[in-house]
Amino acid sequence: MGGIEMKKLLSIGLVASLSLTGLVACGNDGNTNTPSSTSDAGEQGGQTGSSESTANGDKVEIKLWLDDDDFAAAIEPAIEEALPNIDIIYEKVGSVDARKKLALDGPAGFGADLFIQPHDGMSDSIQSQILLPLGSEIGANIEERFLEGSVGTVKSGDNYYGIPIATESIALFYNKTLLEENGFEVATTFEELIEQAKQYNDAAANKFLFRFDAGNSYTMHPFLTSAGFELYGPNHDDASQVNLNTPEVVKGLTFYQSLKEILPVPYADLNWDSIEVEFAKGNVPYIITGPWSIAEVRNQNTGFEWGVTTIPTINGVQPETFSGNIIACISAYTQHVAESKQVLEFLASEEGLKILYDVKGSIPALKDNSVIEGVLEDPYVSGILAQAEFSQPMPILPEMSSYWGPVETMYRSVWEGLATPEQAAEKALADYNAALELAQ
């Protein structure tokens, strides 16, 4: 993820009442903050400008953690224009890192009021009580406007703990101009892609047909699903069925390992600059990435034609990717509940989502994307959505936080030839179980 090492985490939470005029963000006064009670926070959704500082005509400073400077530069003035009572204090924090950072910074009074995170962190965030329950009014808005599958990632019991502002999946990006220059059609199978690579590659010139983030446990997931891997069982919700050390994982890793023949590059050298940036410059025919890369390609595009389509089939099977939602949340430690909810609602408004789409190419998680100009007509978004039909939501089990690291090591050790697929799968399960014990 995107996006991506995944690459992405945020939180929303309960609230303590405001007692000082002009108090910044989460109350950087040196005192320890504690979350407000669920009942208190959940019913304040209708308040606007209720803090003492607003009553005195002063602006309330709201600290916002985002993971993209360009998006922050666009959304900050839009929020402040729409909400003149608010002054946004932006800090760049990776979405995947935000949850753990808030757990440390929130109680100390240095955390964000609002942040974003991938949906697989929501379960841990809710259990650790760092998110603000949003109340019935915002909850009804979420149910009415956002995709049913996305709503499920922010709801626990009768409470809503965030708004799913974007949905995403990886897909195959292709340079149509380069392919046509070499007499290639867009590959629909990996067998086709491998044959094209044998004709196109020139290792001495660092020229390779196909690039991907070989050490990434999010983007490499389709190589396992094509072999029948079912993470946490067929419905992806059974923590007793992680299914790591299985014949399906070994089969998937074996095919994945074979791709080193057409991409003989260490995983550490396969990164944003060598994958997405080089594609954006027109130098690579195929990459695997997600909608977070669309803006990069558009901004750097040197005139070549390109497109987005489904991941090629492997042995006749259409691989399933992870689908994810990016969640905007409010910290439980915020001392500005009403104003934080105003900002959250702006982020999830049509205006806020249009800025998100325009700047980052992110796909709003709306039931009706016709309200966001350009989305339905966007051929690149259509390609992402085509792959999304063959995707599975990242599980929201707490155990997922113990999954990523061991599986990343599994992929990397196989890619570098440090372990056989069988050895790597066995070690991944052992490392996963050890991580679970540490997390308890």
Side-chain angles (χ1 to χ4, degrees):
M1 16 225 258
I4 158 178
E5 292 191 278
M6 283 283 316
K7 253 174 174 175
K8 310 165 179 175
L9 276 172
L10 299 97
S11 303
I12 303 175
L14 304 170
V15 75
S17 61
L18 178 63
S19 60
L20 295 178
T21 300
L23 197 60
V24 177
C26 290
N28 301 338
D29 58 357
N31 295 328
T32 300
N33 285 0
T34 57
S36 298
S37 69
T38 299
S39 59
D40 290 342
E43 294 308 316
Q44 294 184 41
Q47 296 182 20
T48 57
S50 59
S51 70
E52 182 180 334
S53 56
T54 302
N56 290 339
D58 298 330
K59 289 190 175 185
V60 175
E61 291 185 336
I62 297 295
K63 186 183 290 185
L64 176 62
W65 285 351
L66 298 171
D67 62 358
D68 186 279
D69 290 336
D70 292 336
F71 176 55
I75 199 71
E76 180 176 344
I79 293 171
E80 292 175 346
E81 181 178 356
L83 303 170
N85 60 310
I86 287 170
D87 182 19
I88 294 295
I89 307 299
Y90 161 64
E91 290 184 4
K92 187 173 185 178
V93 176
S95 60
V96 175
D97 303 321
R99 173 174 57 86
K100 291 183 178 179
K101 181 173 174 60
L102 183 67
L104 294 173
D105 291 356
F110 300 108
D113 295 287
L114 292 96
F115 65 102
I116 59 170
Q117 67 172 326
H119 82 250
D120 62 304
M122 289 297 292
S123 181
D124 274 348
S125 298
I126 293 169
Q127 286 192 354
S128 59
Q129 298 184 348
I130 63 172
L131 303 185
L132 179 74
L134 300 179
S136 57
E137 184 176 339
I138 293 179
N141 183 277
I142 293 171
E143 292 279 2
E144 179 182 353
R145 297 175 58 222
F146 291 88
L147 294 168
E148 181 179 354
S150 298
V151 172
T153 66
V154 302
K155 187 176 182 181
S156 179
D158 293 328
N159 287 322
Y160 301 82
Y161 292 89
I163 299 182
I165 58 175
T167 187
E168 62 188 28
S169 169
I170 60 170
L172 184 73
F173 285 44
Y174 62 90
N175 182 322
K176 184 178 180 182
T177 300
L178 268 183
L179 293 175
E180 290 180 348
E181 288 175 357
N182 287 273
F184 299 147
E185 298 288 336
V186 178
T188 59
T189 72
F190 260 97
E191 290 79 7
E192 291 177 86
L193 189 149
I194 291 168
E195 286 304 312
Q196 292 177 5
K198 291 176 180 178
Q199 300 176 51
Y200 181 87
N201 284 3
D202 182 354
N206 197 32
K207 178 184 174 185
F208 301 107
L209 180 91
F210 176 49
R211 298 187 185 187
F212 55 86
D213 191 353
N216 191 302
S217 47
Y218 177 84
T219 54
M220 297 299 96
H221 189 63
F223 293 116
L224 301 189
T225 63
S226 67
F229 173 56
E230 293 181 330
L231 177 59
Y232 297 124
N235 297 321
H236 316 295
D237 60 358
D238 184 350
S240 69
Q241 297 188 59
V242 68
N243 293 330
L244 275 176
N245 189 15
T246 60
E248 291 80 11
V249 169
V250 172
K251 181 180 178 182
L253 287 175
T254 300
F255 178 80
Y256 160 80
Q257 184 182 47
S258 73
L259 296 177
K260 188 73 177 284
E261 296 180 13
I262 64 167
L263 187 58
V265 178
Y267 77 83
D269 294 333
L270 292 167
N271 51 41
W272 177 268
D273 288 336
S274 65
I275 301 172
E276 283 87 351
V277 173
E278 284 300 304
F279 180 86
K281 292 178 180 177
N283 297 332
V284 183
Y286 296 111
I287 64 170
I288 289 178
T289 188
W292 51 86
S293 299
I294 291 175
E296 178 75 24
V297 183
R298 280 176 165 154
N299 292 340
Q300 289 203 36
N301 191 302
T302 56
F304 61 89
E305 289 187 71
W306 62 289
V308 181
T309 188
T310 53
I311 303 292
T313 61
I314 300 174
N315 296 320
V317 177
Q318 180 63 56
E320 291 189 353
T321 55
F322 276 131
S323 65
N325 296 290
I326 301 301
I327 314 300
C329 308
I330 298 174
S331 167
Y333 301 98
T334 181
Q335 299 203 4
H336 306 293
V337 176
E339 292 81 9
S340 293
K341 287 184 175 182
Q342 286 182 291
V343 174
L344 178 69
E345 290 179 299
F346 182 87
L347 290 174
S349 68
E350 292 179 15
E351 182 179 353
L353 295 176
K354 180 68 164 64
I355 293 171
L356 182 65
Y357 165 70
D358 286 343
V359 176
K360 297 186 66 176
S362 298
I363 304 169
L366 293 171
K367 292 177 181 177
D368 180 14
N369 261 314
S370 67
V371 299
I372 309 298
E373 182 182 355
V375 172
L376 295 184
E377 297 77 29
D378 190 325
Y380 312 119
V381 168
S382 297
I384 298 291
L385 293 176
Q387 178 59 50
E389 294 182 18
F390 303 98
S391 66
Q392 48 189 239
M394 283 188 295
I396 57 175
L397 297 170
E399 289 79 5
M400 272 300 289
S401 61
S402 299
Y403 171 84
W404 299 113
V407 173
E408 179 180 84
T409 299
M410 178 182 75
Y411 284 117
R412 292 179 175 183
S413 62
V414 168
W415 190 256
E416 297 302 324
L418 301 176
T420 65
E422 291 83 1
Q423 292 169 336
E426 182 178 1
K427 186 175 187 299
L429 179 58
D431 290 349
Y432 170 79
N433 287 331
L436 284 182
E437 290 184 14
L438 288 174
Q440 293 177 355

